[in-house]
Amino acid sequence: MHAKRHQRVFARDPDHSRPEKLLPDKATETALRETLRLCNIAANHASRRAFDTGIVGKTSLQRLVYGELKQLGLSAQPAIHAVRKVAGAYATLKANLKAGNYGPEGSKRRAKAESTPIRFRKDAAQPFDDRCLSWQLDARTISIWTVHGRSGRIPFQCSLEQMNLLGEYRRGESDLVFRGGNWYLYATCDIPEPDTREPEKGFLGVDLGIANIAVTSDGTVHAGKHVNQVRHRNHRLRKRLQKKGTKSAKRLLRKLSGREARFAADTNHRISKKLVTEAERTCRGIALEDLGGIHDRVRLRKPQRVTLHSWSFQQLGGYIAYKAARAGVPVVFVDPRYTSQRCSACGHISKKNRPDQATFACMSCGFAEHADINAARNIAARGVAGWAVSHAADDAA
């Protein structure tokens, strides 16, 4: 029996560089823009009502505001989805507050989050279901509800792989997204995952770091100098724009932020694909450090802090995990403590084993290696041990 996996069929294919998007004409684009604007006006209205009354549950909030959203001009299904979007946002806020992601009780950030209604941008994404959105896959077109009625058929670009996914596995809602001046649809697909196979040849250890984004226990280095050059160049530009503070500077800052996010996501997709492909080819699993709280835990010099906080290691770990599940490659997350100070040859742990950032030289046995490769080998060994322990527990149960 295969498990089901939810996957977003992106407007940009995660594993390819070619963008894929809707191609509306000018009249349809105007209708789409007005539709998103009205949906988010409605969502903001529902959010204010939820904040004022304390009613944030999906069903209860729908009873409270459904008629009001209809009066704003929404049809039945878009009104229901606007309510669900608001209820989901408040559920996420509650979970983040509980997890401490907005800081401790009494902090300014937490107080601000708790004291104001959630707001939605005028072009925030809006979900549509099959009652107000239809796909014509053979023609590569879609039609969608707008404030001016049902649109005509809108062409969309799509890779052959994504077409196959849409045709066989698309389920439920699709999100209409406006980003970077382009229109996209994000469709949810329920894809059966293959059974996770046994790591016959052990684990590929992956060390995530500052100087290099990822280094494997085989000695392969992913990204590094070029990526850091881009990040530091963007950081310097961001500082100049923040200091300038004009409207045009703020507009450029928003543009730069989107560009940085796309660059990071593209780099993380490329790295994760290479790692999963190598593990699959060599019949191994992938062992990663459990990096929860890395930004709070790691103490670094200021230039390195800039690098650490400008990269999404959690995003990279997530990409590796979902690509590995897609390929049936097991992934384990291991305790990261002392992986950089422990000798992968004899097990001796000492700060003195690291004479500098790039070098590992064991004070006990004399083993020498690039520091990141040594750490990746320790991670690989912990992956093997962790897999054995977890499966022994499963067998005992």
Side-chain angles (χ1 to χ4, degrees):
M1 188 73 179
H2 295 293
K4 288 284 189 180
R5 174 171 60 86
H6 291 292
Q7 176 180 316
R8 287 293 193 191
V9 175
F10 296 126
R12 172 184 280 271
D13 186 339
D15 296 329
H16 297 84
S17 60
R18 185 173 65 83
E20 297 160 1
K21 56 193 175 186
L22 300 181
L23 302 171
D25 57 29
K26 288 187 178 180
T28 305
E29 183 173 7
T30 299
L32 292 177
R33 194 183 299 273
E34 292 177 5
T35 299
L36 273 193
R37 181 175 176 274
L38 181 58
C39 287
N40 286 299
I41 288 174
N44 282 324
H45 174 78
S47 178
R48 286 191 297 271
R49 296 280 277 134
F51 181 80
D52 292 339
T53 62
I55 297 174
V56 295
K58 181 172 61 178
T59 303
S60 300
L61 183 59
Q62 182 175 321
R63 290 197 198 100
L64 178 68
V65 302
Y66 177 76
E68 298 169 8
L69 301 192
K70 290 273 287 181
Q71 288 179 357
L72 288 173
L74 291 185
S75 294
Q77 288 305 115
I80 290 170
H81 285 298
V83 171
R84 290 177 180 174
K85 181 165 72 171
V86 172
Y90 277 99
T92 300
L93 174 62
K94 182 179 178 181
N96 282 327
L97 289 171
K98 185 176 180 180
N101 295 336
Y102 285 92
E105 290 277 359
S107 67
K108 288 185 178 180
R109 188 181 178 209
R110 186 184 182 104
K112 183 178 180 181
E114 292 176 317
S115 63
T116 57
I118 292 174
R119 287 192 56 79
F120 297 87
R121 302 186 320 276
K122 65 180 180 181
D123 58 354
Q126 176 68 17
F128 290 88
D129 61 22
D130 286 350
R131 297 182 185 180
C132 43
L133 169 70
S134 60
W135 298 76
Q136 300 85 40
L137 295 182
D138 291 342
R140 297 202 178 195
T141 60
I142 63 103
S143 64
I144 190 169
W145 176 88
T146 74
V147 293
H148 299 302
R150 195 80 171 196
S151 74
R153 293 192 171 192
I154 306 171
F156 67 89
Q157 295 176 340
C158 189
S159 70
L160 180 59
E161 178 187 3
Q162 289 182 320
M163 279 291 294
N164 292 335
L165 291 177
L166 286 169
E168 191 167 357
Y169 299 116
R170 188 186 65 81
R171 301 289 185 276
E173 299 174 356
S174 300
D175 291 345
L176 179 65
V177 177
F178 182 70
R179 188 187 67 199
N182 295 313
W183 292 93
Y184 304 90
L185 272 177
Y186 285 53
T188 303
C189 294
D190 283 334
I191 304 173
E193 290 182 353
D195 294 330
T196 301
R197 56 171 176 72
E198 285 292 321
E200 299 174 6
K201 302 293 181 64
F203 279 81
L204 179 69
V206 181
D207 178 61
L208 307 180
I210 302 300
N212 299 298
I213 301 300
V215 177
T216 74
S217 50
D218 292 344
T220 303
V221 176
H222 294 279
K225 185 176 180 181
H226 168 67
V227 170
N228 286 326
Q229 286 174 342
V230 172
R231 294 190 304 197
H232 285 291
R233 183 173 68 243
N234 287 337
H235 175 66
R236 291 192 297 270
L237 177 58
R238 189 161 52 247
K239 284 182 65 176
R240 289 200 302 271
L241 292 171
Q242 288 170 342
K243 186 175 181 180
K244 194 172 183 181
T246 62
K247 285 186 177 180
S248 61
K250 291 177 181 178
R251 186 166 58 249
L252 286 173
L253 274 170
R254 288 193 296 270
K255 187 175 181 180
L256 177 63
S257 175
R259 187 190 308 155
E260 285 182 303
R262 291 191 295 275
F263 172 73
D266 182 66
T267 302
N268 283 340
H269 272 305
R270 291 173 185 273
I271 292 173
S272 59
K273 183 179 181 182
K274 290 177 181 178
L275 292 172
V276 171
T277 299
E278 179 61 16
E280 184 179 20
R281 184 186 69 82
T282 56
C283 300
R284 288 181 289 179
I286 296 176
L288 296 168
E289 295 172 286
D290 183 354
L291 294 177
I294 183 174
H295 294 88
D296 299 323
R297 187 176 68 246
V298 177
R299 297 291 179 264
L300 299 167
R301 293 181 294 108
K302 187 173 181 179
Q304 290 181 313
R305 288 202 300 271
V306 171
T307 303
L308 175 69
H309 288 274
S310 66
W311 199 260
S312 179
F313 294 101
Q314 295 288 3
Q315 182 190 66
L316 176 56
Y319 287 173
I320 292 171
Y322 95 72
K323 285 179 169 62
R326 192 178 186 175
V329 173
V331 175
V332 296
F333 291 88
V334 305
D335 188 340
R337 289 177 293 181
Y338 307 116
T339 53
S340 63
Q341 299 175 16
R342 182 181 185 276
C343 177
S344 59
C346 73
H348 176 66
I349 298 174
S350 173
K351 289 184 179 180
K352 295 180 180 179
N353 288 345
R354 293 287 302 275
D356 56 57
Q357 191 276 333
T359 306
F360 182 91
C362 182
M363 302 296 291
S364 177
C365 71
F367 173 76
E369 182 56 275
H370 188 285
D372 293 341
I373 297 175
N374 177 74
R377 289 176 178 171
N378 285 325
I379 293 167
R382 291 184 183 183
V384 172
W387 182 265
V389 169
S390 65
H391 280 63
D394 291 342
D395 292 342

